[in-house]
């Protein structure tokens, strides 16, 4: 199964840029890389998705090197409301050959005033 | 447009009791998933479905059964609940036009289950 590895936790201050790196050495050729955000007592929420190079939206940027074995989620100028758990996700074909998505343990980001 | 709705939101069971969790989505998504999340942990995939009438096992399928009789609904059953199944259960759905495109997951707000 495709596995991801992320730091367990990170601390930052308001206004700083935060970069969270995810390792996915066994990523398959057709897999996209997707990041989710989860607040307490809520389901995860989609943040950004990419295949290679750089993707940017109104919330974050995603940097993917040429070998695609890692990716970095960049959150510009974080605020207290960005305190959450962030998950990196890659596709997984599973035993049936069909797509099944597995989450890692995520990165707990704590933003301080 | 409700998105993904999970029923019930909370439930307390005694060991050995059975129950069914219901997940409903109104986005016409083909794929549906059941995850469990234990305190301080990430999400683990229990079962999933790639279309009406299909189901497949995820990482932690033991002790659970699922059914996808209608495209919009995905049911998770516990036949004989155990304390180890105390967890928060999340349902998700996604639209996947092809096997090589990871369309984003849309999650419900979870069902908090306690087995005593």
């Amino acid at each position: 199964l495709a596995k991801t590895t992320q730091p367990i936790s990170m601390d930052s201050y308001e206004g700083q840029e935060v970069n969270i790196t995810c390792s996915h050495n066994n990523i398959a050729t057709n897999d996209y890389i997707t990041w989710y955000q989860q607040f307490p007592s809520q389901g995860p929420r989609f943040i950004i998705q990419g295949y290679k190079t750089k993707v940017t939206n109104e919330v974050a940027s995603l940097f993917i090197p040429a070998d695609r074995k890692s990716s970095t989620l960049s959150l510009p100028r974080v605020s207290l409301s960005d305190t959450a758990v962030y998950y990196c996700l890659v596709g997984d074909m599973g035993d049936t050959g069909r797509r099944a998505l597995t989450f890692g343990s995520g990165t707990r980001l704590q933003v301080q005033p | 447009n409700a998105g993904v709705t999970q029923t019930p939101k909370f439930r307390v069971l005694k060991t050995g009791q059975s129950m069914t969790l219901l997940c409903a989505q109104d986005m016409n998504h083909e794929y549906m998933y059941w995850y469990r999340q234990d305190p301080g942990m990430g999400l683990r995939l229990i079962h999933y479905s790639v279309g009406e009438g299909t189901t497949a096992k995820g990482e932690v399928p033991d002790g659970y059964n699922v059914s996808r009789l209608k495209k919009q609904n995905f049911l998770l059953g516990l036949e004989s609940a155990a304390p180890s199944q105390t967890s928060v259960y999340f349902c998700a759905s996604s639209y996947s036009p092809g096997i090589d495109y990871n369309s984003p997951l849309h999650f419900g707000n979870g069902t908090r289950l306690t087995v005593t």
Side-chain angles (χ1 to χ4, degrees), chain A residues 2 7 9 26 32 45 51 54 73 81 85 98 106 108 110:
Chain A
S9 63
N26 296 325
Y32 279 65
R45 183 181 72 167
Y51 185 80
K54 177 184 175 182
L73 174 72
S81 63
V85 179
R98 292 170 171 168
R108 190 172 301 273
Q110 180 70 49

Side-chain angles (χ1 to χ4, degrees), chain B:
Chain B
N1 192 340
V4 177
T5 304
Q6 293 184 232
T7 309
K9 291 183 171 56
F10 302 94
R11 186 71 185 270
V12 178
L13 288 179
K14 294 187 177 180
T15 298
Q17 287 185 319
S18 64
M19 77 162 295
T20 299
L21 307 184
L22 171 64
C23 176
Q25 53 93 4
D26 60 3
M27 297 171 283
N28 200 35
H29 284 170
E30 291 292 335
Y31 283 59
M32 296 189 75
Y33 311 80
W34 276 108
Y35 289 89
R36 62 175 286 175
Q37 185 172 38
D38 300 323
M41 304 286 287
L43 287 83
R44 291 185 292 170
L45 182 64
I46 306 172
H47 286 280
Y48 64 102
S49 168
V50 300
E52 182 178 317
T54 74
T55 62
K57 295 180 180 180
E59 296 175 86
V60 288
D62 295 340
Y64 305 95
N65 57 76
V66 288
S67 63
R68 183 97 180 269
L69 299 179
K70 294 182 179 180
K71 185 177 183 178
Q72 63 268 34
N73 296 335
F74 195 29
L75 279 63
L76 178 71
L78 287 74
E79 290 186 348
S80 179
S84 61
Q85 294 178 305
T86 293
S87 188
V88 180
Y89 291 85
F90 287 102
C91 176
S93 70
S94 66
Y95 172 72
S96 181
I99 201 69
D100 59 347
Y101 177 63
N102 290 334
S103 59
L105 298 174
H106 297 258
F107 281 85
N109 283 326
T111 295
R112 189 173 298 274
L113 175 66
T114 301
V115 183
T116 61

Side-chain angles (χ1 to χ4, degrees), chain A residues 35-101:
Chain A
W35 285 79
Y36 291 83
Q37 176 190 55
Q38 185 180 26
F39 298 113
S41 302
Q42 294 185 24
R45 183 181 72 167
F46 171 81
I47 301 176
I48 196 167
Q49 183 179 75
Y51 185 80
K52 62 181 179 180
T53 63
K54 177 184 175 182
V55 179
T56 297
N57 62 21
E58 65 278 5
V59 176
S61 294
L62 180 59
F63 298 91
I64 305 169
D67 66 7
R68 304 199 331 118
K69 293 186 176 182
S70 66
S71 59
T72 299
L73 174 72
S74 181
L75 304 172
R77 298 179 298 281
V78 295
S79 65
L80 296 177
S81 63
D82 292 316
T83 293
V85 179
Y86 293 82
Y87 294 97
C88 163
L89 197 67
V90 298
D92 185 340
M93 294 303 287
D95 292 338
T96 65
R98 292 170 171 168
R99 189 170 63 91
L101 301 178

